[in-house]
Amino acid sequence: MEIIYFAGGCLWGVQHFIKSLPGVIATEAGRANGTTDTLEGDYDGYAECVKTVFEPEQVSVKELLGYFFEIIDPYSINRQGNDIGKKYRTGVYSTEKEHLEMAQNFISERKDASLIKVEVLPLINYVRSADEHQDRLAKYPNDYCHIPKDILNKYRK
């Protein structure tokens, strides 16, 4: 198993979507790459993200990135849908150099590469979100989500 972190705006929808993907073993809603060890105020620079545990024999990082790009606006800075602010930026984070290289290659191979604003950075730190944020859309399917429902549930088993 391997772990990669995806930031794609509000973490509720991102978690709901990623959890349904083939090869994904587990997900956890959290925040990445902030400047403190706790979640205070506007989360001190953290990006809302989803910790994604996956089986690389079943799904590759490149495939996960393809899925991820289905649910984000990769050209937007600090915004996804109606969610605005630095915590809603898009990003791919990992402690594995190979994951970051794969993400950079995935982006650079796209025709629109020069327009893409998705961060690709080493994971500096990660804080798990409160229980109320874990699997929130499964518990409250009518909560706001910036991802259209037809895409959100596209791979649901």
Side-chain angles (χ1 to χ4, degrees):
M1 291 184 289
E2 296 182 18
I3 300 172
I4 194 166
Y5 301 77
F6 293 104
C10 177
L11 52 77
W12 303 340
V14 177
Q15 183 183 30
H16 191 79
F17 178 80
I18 289 176
K19 191 171 196 157
S20 71
L21 299 177
V24 171
I25 308 298
T27 61
E28 181 178 82
R31 306 308 203 266
N33 286 4
T35 57
T36 65
D37 292 333
T38 60
L39 298 176
E40 302 286 334
D42 197 25
Y43 305 115
D44 297 318
Y46 280 92
E48 292 197 5
C49 73
V50 175
K51 178 180 181 181
T52 305
V53 181
F54 67 99
E55 184 58 59
E57 288 79 28
Q58 295 178 26
V59 65
S60 69
V61 170
K62 185 174 183 175
E63 289 170 317
L64 287 172
L65 289 161
Y67 292 126
F68 178 60
F69 269 63
E70 287 185 47
I71 61 168
I72 63 167
D73 173 357
Y75 315 115
S76 181
I77 299 173
N78 299 334
R79 180 182 188 154
Q80 291 294 300
N82 293 329
D83 299 317
I84 301 170
K86 188 174 181 181
K87 68 182 179 179
Y88 299 117
R89 66 189 182 272
T90 54
V92 178
Y93 312 106
S94 181
T95 59
E96 301 296 325
K97 182 180 176 184
E98 297 81 21
H99 291 172
L100 299 174
E101 289 171 355
M102 288 180 218
Q104 290 166 337
N105 289 339
F106 176 86
I107 291 169
S108 68
E109 291 170 0
R110 291 176 53 111
K111 292 179 183 176
D112 59 353
S114 65
L115 303 173
I116 292 176
K117 306 301 182 200
V118 177
E119 292 182 334
V120 177
L121 296 170
L123 182 73
I124 297 168
N125 55 9
Y126 170 81
V127 178
R128 182 185 187 277
S129 290
D131 288 343
E132 65 196 50
H133 296 292
Q134 304 300 325
D135 299 310
R136 182 152 179 109
L137 284 184
K139 297 174 207 167
Y140 307 100
N142 293 321
D143 266 5
Y144 166 77
C145 182
H146 66 282
I147 303 168
K149 284 193 187 242
D150 60 326
I151 296 172
L152 186 67
N153 294 308
K154 185 175 181 180
Y155 302 101
R156 192 123 325 261
K157 299 164 186 107

